[in-house]
């Protein structure tokens, strides 16, 4: 919030790099679990909720064998609650248009 307050919401751009996704944070270093979802792509949006929703939708849209571990981790930690809370707080719009850039 502090950065948004300082910069102004109209000056913000959110980027999500969805490459080699693992159930573990990359901060776990060499002890992190091997990635199970290959490169999905890079997302960008001026709406923080839209980019988070699109990221989740892209993960959930992957084949079951790829996404099983990550989806289980998200759901067991109530990770989707973040999206609900953001919407309730008026932090953005969960509706988006996914535009592919070649």
């Amino acid at each position: 919030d502090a950065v948004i307050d300082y910069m102004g919401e109209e000056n913000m751009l959110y980027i999500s790099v969805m490459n080699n996704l693992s159930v573990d944070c990359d901060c776990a270093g060499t002890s992190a679990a091997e990635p199970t979802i290959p490169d999905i792509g890079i997302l960008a949006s001026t709406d923080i909720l839209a980019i988070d929703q699109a990221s989740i939708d892209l993960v959930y849209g992957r084949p079951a064998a790829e996404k099983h571990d990550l989806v289980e981790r998200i759901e067991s930690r109530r990770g989707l609650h973040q999206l609900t809370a953001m919407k309730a707080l008026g932090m953005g719009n969960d509706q988006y248009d996914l535009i592919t850039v070649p």
Side-chain angles (χ1 to χ4, degrees):
D1 274 350
V3 173
I4 295 171
D5 290 345
Y6 179 79
M7 297 295 295
E9 194 168 331
E10 67 280 357
N11 295 315
M12 297 301 295
L13 177 67
Y14 304 96
I15 298 174
S16 179
V17 179
M18 300 184 71
N19 185 32
N20 293 326
L21 302 178
S22 167
V23 298
D24 290 323
C25 172
D26 53 359
C27 63
T30 58
S31 65
E34 288 294 317
T36 56
I37 300 178
D39 184 26
I40 292 177
I42 299 172
L43 283 67
S45 179
T46 57
D47 186 310
I48 193 169
L49 177 53
I51 196 169
D52 281 355
Q53 184 67 59
S55 297
I56 285 293
D57 291 347
L58 288 168
V59 167
Y60 274 71
R62 301 301 296 188
E66 284 182 11
K67 70 181 180 184
H68 176 271
D69 292 346
L70 185 54
V71 167
E72 188 278 328
R73 179 70 58 98
I74 291 167
E75 292 177 357
S76 70
R77 309 267 191 305
R78 296 188 60 225
L80 299 176
H81 177 71
Q82 173 183 328
L83 300 173
T84 306
M86 290 169 68
K87 186 171 184 177
L89 292 169
M91 293 179 66
N93 189 341
D94 61 354
Q95 302 298 307
Y96 59 87
D97 292 318
L98 194 59
I99 301 168
T100 303
V101 179

